[in-house]
Amino acid sequence: MSVSSFDPKKIRNDFPTLNQTINGYPLVYLDSAATTQKPQCVIDATTQFYTLQNANVHRGRHTLSEQATAAYEQVRQRVADYFQVTSSEIVWTKGATEAINLVAHGLRNTLTAADTILISPIEHHANIVPWQELAAQTGATLKTLPLNADATFDIAQCCEVIKRTNPALLAITHASNALGNITDLVPLIASAKAVGALTLVDGAQGALHLRPNLKKLDCDFYVFSAHKMVGPTGLGGLYGRYTALNALSPYQTGGEMIEKVTLTHSTYRNAPAKFEAGTPNIAGVLGFGAALEYLMALDLQILQHYEQQLFIYAANALSKIDGIIIYSDLKSNIGTLCFNYKNEHPYDLSTLLDGYGVAVRSGHHCTQPLMSHLNLNGSLRASFAFYNTTKDVDQFIAALKECIALLD
């Protein structure tokens, strides 16, 4: 498959939500950092399960249950193939947020008041608050990596801080959900490992756009959300290097995760089973399987090339508008533009843009520490995916100019 044969118009037709009008205008969906749209195959897979295959997994010996179990575990293997790890290292969760909480909870009996947890100022709240809670519970100290004034990292300086701080855990994002900035993880993970620290990477944004080889990345934990990978909502997962994963204490207890139960004592299964209590989101898993099959049929290099060309096209067009201030790193980015227009409130602009059928995000994007660092009350965010087109960008820019004219 060549770059020239990558047909965004054809791909766009796979996503039924995109082919509609909003307020009388063709929908321009630029909020994929919040949630991606779903291809028809994902919708069909979910519907098919409830229509023809509905049964619980792992428990029945009848045909439907055995078929559901086989399909369910095949998707776990598909996730492992996507990230180039083994299926025993993949735990199903409700999403990236629950996956981070699972790790934080699992470390409660491991960390002490002598330990340090190291995070960064650009993190989503989901990769901050669980560590605050863990620090409060264990007495550990929570510290942050330094950040440049423009919200980029000086990697050499960060590596020096890791060496000096000697943390028990480094939790860092693969790509900023607010800015789209890509984190240069390799030297940070190497520095953390050199001092014996565990490493957790928030891959909620990076999993789709970067499709990382997690064995090569060499982190201990990596979290992801299906709904940000063209899959269903309410589902995600945790990759854990098996020895680190199995060492965590269970996050929830109940059925399915147990080995033996008496009235006074219970023993638990090994990972990943011991972290999957109760009936899982089976339909969501099968829908995610269809999403992964769809994504893996797309050549990664071609997809990334297309997304980067689209991002550059949008960034160039946006930067030509007088009064626009862009906060995103334009050199290393998954395809997200964080910006404001003069001193106008981002809510006002996003509301006006919606009148033209353009869907962007506004607010603090669950990154209040980052907004404080940039001295902002909030911002607008236009986040792109491979199903967007240059026509989307043109409509977005034209609508933005119309909105600015109304405000000036």
Side-chain angles (χ1 to χ4, degrees), residues 334-404:
I334 57 170
T336 296
L337 288 167
C338 180
F339 66 98
N340 276 324
Y341 174 69
K342 295 183 178 178
N343 293 320
E344 295 292 345
H345 199 288
Y347 288 172
D348 294 337
L349 261 177
S350 64
T351 302
L352 289 172
L353 283 167
D354 182 62
Y356 292 89
V358 178
V360 298
R361 206 69 162 183
S362 59
H364 56 66
H365 317 299
C366 293
T367 57
Q368 288 178 318
L370 173 60
M371 293 296 115
S372 295
H373 176 84
L374 293 170
N375 196 30
L376 300 174
N377 292 322
S379 66
L380 290 146
R381 183 186 69 188
S383 50
F384 299 85
F386 61 89
Y387 45 63
N388 288 120
T389 64
T390 54
K391 184 178 178 181
D392 285 335
V393 176
D394 293 341
Q395 290 180 228
F396 160 56
I397 296 298
L400 181 59
K401 289 178 179 178
E402 293 278 352
C403 295
I404 288 172

Side-chain angles (χ1 to χ4, degrees), residues 128-147:
I128 297 175
V129 181
W131 309 121
Q132 292 175 342
E133 289 295 303
L134 181 60
Q137 292 163 355
T138 62
T141 301
L142 186 66
K143 294 185 178 181
T144 59
L145 290 172
L147 195 63

